[in-house]
Amino acid sequence: RQMAAEIRQLRRTGANGFVIGCLDPQGTLDERAIQPLLEAAEGSCLTLHRCIDVSRDPAETYLTAGRLGFDTVLTSGAAASCTAGADLIGQLLQLRDSIHGPEVLIGAGVNASVIEWFRRRFPAAQAFHMSGKTSIQSGMRFRREGVPMGIPGFDEWHISQTETSAVAAARRVLDCKNGTDPSAPL
């Protein structure tokens, strides 16, 4: 209920797209839980987030997302990175084209060279999601080591920030018609 209320509020303030997704305990798309969110979105653009990557059957999840009206499915190909999940991404791209399904938004580890590689291996690949992030030192000079203030494994002394040059490099690759050899190392 809270998520549906937030979607309605965000729509009132001008949002026109939402990234949502819910799985049931068996690892399938939870249509009952998603329905109130779809109703709250009232025809807005919808992206199924990477819950597909931890679902029992990603192809089935993709088909269900299409049936429910999702425009886009964000995926790493059910792997830690999109290059590791490239085979499944290729299958989803074929499925997209054969049924005119939701766009396959390739994510997790995307940068300019990964975009080039994907576009050569899968010419139908057209949508990529990247943060372009880099880690920079925080301005904090005094550091009391061994006292984490957040999630375990996260460093208190660095900040993730989008790197302009990484985004520009990706844009150049997206604007280019030719890629690199898909068998070349990344």
Side-chain angles (χ1 to χ4, degrees), residues 104-124:
V104 176
L105 179 58
I106 301 165
V110 171
N111 59 36
S113 65
V114 168
I115 294 169
E116 278 185 309
W117 183 83
F118 262 97
R119 290 180 75 191
R120 289 287 288 164
R121 184 166 179 197
F122 304 108

Side-chain angles (χ1 to χ4, degrees), residues 22-32 51-52 54-58 60-61:
C22 307
L23 296 177
D24 65 22
Q26 290 73 39
T28 59
L29 212 50
D30 190 337
E31 295 183 51
R32 191 171 142 235
C51 70
I52 187 175
V54 293
S55 69
R56 178 180 303 279
D57 183 340
E60 176 188 322
T61 301

Side-chain angles (χ1 to χ4, degrees), residues 19-77:
V19 181
I20 60 174
C22 307
L23 296 177
D24 65 22
Q26 290 73 39
T28 59
L29 212 50
D30 190 337
E31 295 183 51
R32 191 171 142 235
I34 290 175
Q35 194 58 44
L37 306 179
L38 298 175
E39 290 168 9
E42 292 184 44
S44 299
C45 294
L46 292 170
T47 297
L48 180 70
H49 63 53
R50 288 189 57 208
C51 70
I52 187 175
D53 294 328
V54 293
S55 69
R56 178 180 303 279
D57 183 340
E60 176 188 322
T61 301
Y62 177 85
L63 291 170
T64 303
R67 184 174 48 74
L68 292 174
F70 282 87
D71 305 289
T72 305
V73 174
L74 172 60
T75 183
S76 65

